[in-house]
Amino acid sequence: MKNRHGIQLKELLIIVILTSLVTSLTTGVIIYNNNRITKHISGSDLSNDQDLEEFLKVYASLVGDYYDDIDRKKMLEAGINAMFQYLGEDYTDYLNKNESDALAEKLAGEYRGIGVQIIDHNIIYNVFDESPAKEAGLMKGDQLVLINGENVSEKNTTEVSRLIKESTDSLQLEVLRGEEKLSFSVNVSTLYVPVVQQQIVSDIEHKIGYLQITSFSNTVAAQVRKALEKLENEGIESLIIDLRGNTGGYLSQATDIANMFLENGKVIYSLVDRNDTKEYQDDTDESRNYPIVILMNDGTASASEVLAAALKDSYGAKLLGGVSYGKGKVQQTRTLDDGSMVKYTTARWLRPNGECIDGIGLKPDIEVELVMDENQEKMIDTQLQEAIRILNED
């Protein structure tokens, strides 16, 4: 297969080998010496790598002698993508700078803002608890009209969000609430991206807490701890953890959350790489002992499955809902100098009972399907209802 310049895809594969490790390709100089680049490769290894030397020769030949102009960056990106296609593994991928930035923002778990969710026509759809917006008195349904005196009625939500993020420590806002115009002074600060919600869902037989986790961002463990403290202060006797639709995130965050529940020494998961198997156990003195039901479905994946399996096997939690996604592999990322990123699989993970769920998923102890109401207009959360029933009977 050839691109529009007639370069063979095979040649492109050679062109991009370890581009993140070579800082001066145009001169063919490798400057890593004996520094260790990865767990298995050092700069010394690269210096003696004949395949890499061939790569440099091909690169130099194309850059120096090809008859037409070459966009080196685009050629390298095409080659990197081809290299990942060669591996043919779903979770090993190349992300350009925009894709890399979007992933980093999603997993960062925090943002600069005032604590509101804005939808079309710059209407505030949600005001987050304990946020500057909440403290200032903004409400759901308010429509943003002015930001620091600038009319934003013609701006889209992305432009409005950028205005808020790039502002100084405070904003002067004017909003339309019904027919009334109101003014607010609101602080701008660094806030958690809310990925955890908690509430009491039953206090008939037993007081049951509900904890929904939507993503394993970099701040999720801190949010879970705060939510648990609130629920436990209200006297919960059991807990429902809702992981439905949670596609994962940082493994370290799943580990930190498991540590809140498991007894010291209990297994959380094991990693199997090309050389060995390493077991990871709870190493804290913190634990809990109330009954737990975990809700899951086919959108429950990755770090969510790690947490669910750990609580099932090492805590005794019950799994309820549908079979989970089945992502039993762990990825590592490396950011390149141009801001792009390579994401590649480094290991398989095993649940505490020794099983690998990749391509299989976690099977629920109690399988429950969601159903539509009698008018076929909305979904009834039969899974949550069944979890509440089970915990009330325990």
Side-chain angles (χ1 to χ4, degrees):
M1 177 178 177
K2 297 184 178 182
N3 70 359
R4 64 184 182 86
H5 286 308
I7 300 174
Q8 292 288 340
L9 190 58
K10 181 178 179 182
E11 293 174 330
L12 283 177
L13 284 176
I14 301 174
I15 293 172
V16 297
I17 295 173
L18 302 175
T19 57
S20 64
L21 311 180
V22 181
T23 62
S24 184
L25 292 176
T26 54
T27 59
V29 177
I30 299 177
I31 62 170
Y32 290 93
N33 299 321
N34 292 318
N35 297 325
R36 183 151 295 279
I37 307 304
T38 70
K39 184 177 179 180
H40 302 288
I41 296 178
S42 68
S44 178
D45 296 328
L46 295 179
S47 299
N48 298 315
D49 190 328
Q50 291 188 351
D51 290 330
L52 187 56
E53 184 178 345
E54 289 299 309
F55 146 65
L56 292 170
K57 289 177 181 178
V58 172
Y59 181 84
S61 297
L62 291 174
V63 169
D65 300 332
Y66 189 68
Y67 83 98
D68 201 356
D69 291 336
I70 292 177
D71 186 325
R72 301 181 191 183
K73 183 175 178 59
K74 288 183 178 179
M75 185 169 68
L76 291 174
E77 285 187 359
I80 292 174
N81 278 315
M83 187 159 51
F84 285 109
Q85 288 171 13
Y86 157 76
L87 294 173
E89 202 261 347
D90 290 342
Y91 310 117
T92 295
D93 199 6
Y94 168 74
L95 288 74
N96 62 35
K97 187 178 187 306
N98 289 338
E99 294 168 332
S100 177
D101 289 346
L103 177 63
E105 184 176 352
K106 176 184 177 182
L107 294 179
E110 57 185 23
Y111 68 102
R112 182 170 171 78
I114 60 175
V116 296
Q117 182 181 359
I118 303 170
I119 58 174
D120 292 344
H121 307 296
N122 298 321
I123 294 172
I124 295 176
Y125 178 75
N126 197 5
V127 180
F128 300 127
D129 291 337
E130 300 180 7
S131 67
K134 189 85 166 182
E135 293 173 6
L138 289 169
M139 297 176 62
K140 180 178 179 178
D142 289 347
Q143 183 176 21
L144 290 170
V145 178
L146 299 177
I147 297 179
N148 288 339
E150 182 177 349
N151 191 319
V152 297
S153 58
E154 299 299 321
K155 294 184 181 296
N156 59 38
T157 55
T158 301
E159 293 170 326
V160 169
S161 297
R162 186 182 301 115
L163 265 181
I164 293 173
K165 290 178 181 179
E166 294 175 353
S167 296
T168 54
D169 293 337
S170 64
L171 288 174
Q172 300 303 314
L173 301 180
E174 184 175 295
V175 304
L176 191 63
R177 182 176 294 171
E179 300 296 324
E180 186 180 9
K181 284 189 177 180
L182 301 172
S183 297
F184 297 89
S185 179
V186 187
N187 292 327
V188 180
S189 60
T190 300
L191 305 168
Y192 287 157
V193 176
V195 294
V196 174
Q197 292 186 9
Q198 87 283 334
Q199 61 178 307
I200 301 296
V201 290
S202 175
D203 58 5
I204 299 173
E205 299 293 334
H206 304 288
K207 186 166 281 192
I208 302 172
Y210 170 84
L211 189 69
Q212 182 186 43
I213 306 173
T214 58
S215 174
F216 283 83
S217 68
N218 201 38
T219 62
V220 65
Q223 294 184 53
V224 166
R225 181 173 298 284
K226 194 171 184 178
L228 278 178
E229 288 173 355
K230 289 182 178 180
L231 291 172
E232 289 169 351
N233 285 338
E234 294 185 57
I236 64 167
E237 300 169 74
S238 56
L239 180 66
I240 297 168
I241 301 178
D242 192 344
L243 297 176
R244 293 175 295 183
N246 186 329
T247 56
Y250 287 118
L251 178 61
S252 60
Q253 293 293 306
T255 301
D256 289 346
I257 295 171
N259 282 333
M260 297 178 197
F261 293 94
L262 303 185
E263 295 178 352
N264 186 285
K266 290 286 188 178
V267 177
I268 302 173
Y269 63 89
S270 299
L271 289 184
V272 183
D273 64 19
R274 65 166 69 173
N275 293 317
D276 56 22
T277 300
K278 183 176 180 180
E279 189 175 77
Y280 292 83
Q281 301 176 350
D282 186 305
D283 59 359
T284 71
D285 294 327
E286 181 180 11
S287 64
R288 287 168 169 80
N289 59 13
Y290 42 67
I292 293 177
V293 172
I294 297 174
L295 303 182
M296 63 183 196
N297 60 12
D298 58 3
T300 302
S302 192
S304 294
E305 294 174 295
V306 172
L307 179 60
L311 293 181
K312 162 65 180 174
D313 294 347
S314 295
Y315 185 93
K318 294 178 181 177
L319 306 181
L320 188 150
V323 179
S324 68
Y325 181 81
K327 183 174 182 288
K329 294 175 180 175
V330 176
Q331 284 71 50
Q332 182 173 319
T333 62
R334 180 181 290 273
T335 301
L336 309 184
D337 290 341
D338 64 357
S340 60
M341 177 188 292
V342 290
K343 177 169 66 73
Y344 48 96
T345 297
T346 56
R348 293 182 298 120
W349 67 268
L350 308 179
R351 56 189 290 185
N353 69 6
E355 294 179 358
C356 179
I357 67 160
D358 195 58
I360 301 171
L362 293 168
K363 293 179 173 57
D365 300 300
I366 306 123
E367 190 163 353
V368 179
E369 293 184 2
L370 298 175
V371 300
M372 299 293 291
D373 67 4
E374 58 183 13
N375 297 320
Q376 299 295 303
E377 292 178 351
K378 65 178 181 177
M379 193 74 72
I380 299 174
D381 197 344
T382 46
Q383 295 170 344
L384 178 58
Q385 290 177 353
E386 180 65 9
I388 293 171
R389 187 193 67 78
I390 289 169
L391 290 173
N392 270 323
E393 290 183 351
D394 282 352

